[in-house]
Amino acid sequence: MDPNHIDASVLQNDQHFEADIVIVGSGAGGGIAAEQFAAAGFKVLLLEEGAWYQREHFVMEERWAYPQLYQEGAARKTRDQAISILQGRTVGGSTTVNWTTSIRTPAPTLAYWQSEFGLNFSAEHSLTPYFELAEQRLQIHPWPVPANANNAKLRQGCETLGWEYTVINRNVNGCANLGYCGFGCPINAKQSMLVSTIPEAMRLGATLVSRISVRRLLWRQDKVIGLEAVPVDQYFQPCADIKLTVSARHYIVAAGAIGSPALLLRSKVPNPSGRLGKHTYLHPTVISGAVFAEQINGHSGAPQSIYSDQFVWPADSTQVGYKLEVPPVHPVLMATKLTGMAEQHATLMQQFNHLQVTIALLRDGFHAQSQGGIVQLDNAGQPVLDYPLTNYLWQGMRHALLSMAELQFAAGAVQVLPINHRAQLYNSWAQARAAILDLPLAPLQQTVVSAHVMGGCNMSASPQYGVVDREGRHFQLENLSVFDGSLLPSSLGANPQLTIYGLIWRNSQRLLAELHRLG
């Protein structure tokens, strides 16, 4: 038992808490902020909907990890069921279950933010010092161990075709190269918020409340005056019979790019820009499987250690950019994504250890036909993401499927299977190319997934085009900040955790300076 931890699910009576800083969400943004404010001497209250699981709970089994550590049991989907979304719901948020890939914000993305939203992160406003601080704090460095076969085939295909590839930076210390990062690290090697900033914040006096669902912010005129919450039960469903309230000097919303817009929508906060909950971006991701003669064993070894940016920034700006990576290959994850039924599906699963899997993450948010989705509330006040897929995105997916098939055959694949319900196993690049050009790309025909959610509370230099300013401060409510991936004005074209670390480190320091100045 930790005296600085409260499990809200066991509370029997209504409770009221007071703090200097209350932070809703314990992922990349909330975790960084908690340590910064606790270190500065503020009384910090960190609220998390998920449970406080630690290394001894992580048994490296999908049947335990998905229901306990992921939003909606790893079954979260867009409104039309066309896109599956993997998001963490546990102390540490998605940093506890991600695959450790740590990439700085691409320069073209920053340039786009400046041209479209007036956000200047160059020269003295550069994020570089904050990236360096986060990299040092979280042990982020290039992965020095040889890539597992799943990643090595990505590299081999790139080398054969003359495509660019890069060794990934990972936030690990003492990693045993197990390959089960998505189920929580059983040896605390992954430097997630769970094992880094949150324990330090608690050592410095911060209080963590787990299994708590924040339902709304109370505000009057230009200030938030309180927060209402309830415990969640063993299935993480809100329990309305116990009322939990919080009052604080400053309120930080860091519940993720679906949870944060949902909370602000439930709270009916001022929204003169009309952008709250809108322009919520995924990296819509398509998948290509390949069968190799040799064993790949994609479940073993660091999940991601090689990526390719060959197609992220195409010379033709009318084309969708996409990043090539690989996912870990675990049985339930693969079984739910592989196409086919009955014997066809069983035959693929029998070749499980010979499967190499490549993914292409589309960089959306940079084109008129790529404006993301909209977070809406259902009848229970829970968020639903409506995410229309435009012809522009479908064509990007077709290009990505072609690139992945070409790469896998170049790496020596015997057969390639684009993960589309009309696709079959193809025995050559020429055969695959002809088939992919003719595949029907439509919701529920083409498998689309995403592990990255961004936007919905976007930052901008002007309140006309954003929900928060360049420091994450809400334009209309002076003691409210948004400190997570929801403040990003577009997708990134890169895995988002390091961008969030750097931005929130910077924004926390600036908010601290102001709070100290005000006394």
Side-chain angles (χ1 to χ4, degrees):
M1 297 292 292
D2 191 308
N4 286 0
H5 171 240
I6 299 169
D7 181 345
S9 68
V10 303
L11 296 176
Q12 300 296 313
N13 303 298
D14 295 353
Q15 301 275 342
H16 178 74
F17 304 93
E18 294 186 359
D20 298 317
I21 309 292
V22 60
I23 303 171
V24 182
S26 66
I32 288 288
E35 181 179 47
Q36 299 288 310
F37 286 94
F42 287 89
K43 183 180 180 182
V44 174
L45 189 65
L46 181 62
L47 310 180
E48 168 57 50
E49 184 179 61
W52 190 28
Y53 292 120
Q54 299 179 73
R55 59 182 292 180
E56 59 268 23
H57 299 106
F58 300 144
V59 294
M60 298 188 290
E61 292 183 358
E62 290 174 280
R63 63 181 176 178
W64 181 86
Y66 296 150
Q68 299 302 324
L69 303 178
Y70 286 80
Q71 287 286 357
E72 300 175 34
R76 173 168 273 183
K77 295 180 183 290
T78 51
R79 179 179 289 278
D80 62 0
Q81 310 293 300
I83 308 177
S84 299
I85 303 170
L86 288 175
Q87 272 189 301
R89 181 198 54 208
T90 187
V91 173
S94 292
T95 74
T96 299
V97 295
N98 70 21
W99 303 333
T100 75
T101 296
S102 304
I103 303 171
R104 294 186 183 188
T105 317
T109 301
L110 294 174
Y112 179 78
W113 292 353
Q114 183 163 0
S115 66
E116 296 298 316
F117 298 93
L119 298 166
N120 181 9
F121 290 109
S122 62
E124 69 270 22
H125 304 293
S126 172
L127 292 172
T128 299
Y130 301 99
F131 290 145
E132 292 172 346
L133 287 167
E135 288 163 350
Q136 181 179 9
R137 174 70 181 89
L138 302 173
Q139 304 281 325
I140 295 172
H141 47 74
W143 181 233
V145 176
N148 71 356
N150 201 31
N151 284 272
K153 290 299 181 184
L154 172 60
R155 181 185 60 211
Q156 183 180 342
C158 287
E159 289 174 341
T160 301
L161 296 168
W163 294 355
E164 182 275 344
Y165 69 89
T166 305
V167 174
I168 288 175
N169 287 0
R170 305 182 65 222
N171 58 313
V172 294
N173 181 27
C175 177
N177 204 28
L178 298 174
Y180 290 74
C181 304
F183 313 147
C185 182
I187 60 172
N188 282 353
K190 183 196 302 186
Q191 298 301 290
S192 65
M193 302 296 94
L194 175 68
V195 304
S196 58
T197 61
I198 292 174
E200 179 62 12
M202 294 172 70
R203 188 187 70 80
L204 294 167
T207 298
L208 168 67
V209 184
S210 63
R211 295 186 185 266
I212 182 171
S213 175
V214 179
R215 305 314 297 166
R216 64 176 180 144
L217 303 174
L218 308 174
W219 56 278
R220 184 183 301 128
Q221 296 177 334
D222 62 352
K223 279 194 172 184
V224 179
I225 58 173
L227 171 158
E228 292 181 343
V230 297
V232 298
D233 63 18
Q234 61 180 322
Y235 304 109
F236 301 98
Q237 298 303 304
C239 302
D241 52 337
I242 294 178
K243 307 295 184 186
L244 308 174
T245 56
V246 178
S247 57
R249 180 178 175 187
H250 199 92
Y251 297 77
I252 295 175
V253 174
I258 292 177
S260 289
L263 173 56
L264 298 188
L265 287 167
R266 285 196 299 269
S267 305
K268 296 182 170 63
V269 302
N271 180 31
S273 72
R275 296 181 67 94
L276 176 59
K278 299 179 180 177
H279 305 282
T280 299
Y281 294 104
L282 305 173
H283 283 140
T285 299
V286 289
I287 310 168
S288 185
V291 179
F292 281 78
E294 67 269 34
Q295 287 202 353
I296 300 298
N297 297 324
H299 54 84
S300 177
Q304 293 185 326
S305 56
I306 304 289
Y307 69 80
S308 174
D309 276 353
Q310 179 71 24
F311 302 100
V312 177
W313 305 101
D316 182 355
S317 62
T318 66
Q319 298 294 317
V320 185
Y322 49 90
K323 190 181 202 76
L324 300 179
E325 298 179 343
V326 307
V329 182
H330 294 290
V332 174
L333 187 63
M334 285 300 102
T336 58
K337 299 299 177 280
L338 286 176
T339 54
M341 297 179 65
E343 290 185 12
Q344 182 186 10
H345 190 277
T347 299
L348 281 170
M349 290 302 292
Q350 286 168 0
Q351 301 178 82
F352 179 77
N353 285 331
H354 291 263
L355 286 176
Q356 192 276 340
V357 182
T358 301
I359 55 177
L361 293 73
L362 272 66
R363 175 181 56 79
D364 57 344
F366 295 76
H367 189 276
Q369 290 189 45
S370 182
Q371 293 301 302
I374 301 174
V375 174
Q376 300 168 328
L377 300 176
D378 66 14
N379 292 336
Q382 297 295 89
V384 179
L385 178 60
D386 187 22
Y387 207 93
L389 291 168
T390 64
N391 184 62
Y392 169 79
L393 290 172
W394 289 126
Q395 292 310 308
M397 292 179 196
R398 195 182 301 277
H399 285 298
L401 290 171
L402 287 166
S403 296
M404 291 188 289
E406 183 178 10
L407 179 139
Q408 288 168 318
F409 279 118
V414 176
Q415 294 177 304
V416 166
L417 175 65
I419 305 302
N420 176 294
H421 285 279
R422 296 294 181 89
Q424 300 176 13
L425 283 162
Y426 304 115
N427 299 317
S428 69
W429 162 227
Q431 186 186 31
R433 183 179 184 278
I436 291 169
L437 288 172
D438 196 44
L439 284 177
L441 300 186
L444 307 181
Q445 291 276 359
Q446 174 59 50
T447 298
V448 185
V449 301
S450 183
H452 305 153
V453 193
M454 300 149 282
C457 299
N458 77 279
M459 59 180 168
S460 173
S462 164
Q464 182 180 355
Y465 299 107
V467 177
V468 299
D469 66 17
R470 71 186 73 220
E471 295 173 5
R473 302 287 298 275
H474 193 271
F475 278 118
Q476 287 77 39
L477 298 173
E478 65 178 42
N479 62 338
L480 172 63
S481 295
V482 177
F483 277 13
D484 61 16
S486 66
L487 56 70
L488 303 178
S490 70
S491 78
L492 295 171
N495 304 52
Q497 73 166 341
L498 183 51
T499 290
I500 298 170
Y501 292 148
L503 270 173
I504 302 314
W505 199 307
R506 167 189 179 274
N507 291 352
S508 295
Q509 290 300 310
R510 297 196 173 197
L511 178 56
L512 276 168
E514 180 177 338
L515 294 176
H516 282 306
R517 179 177 59 81
L518 295 175

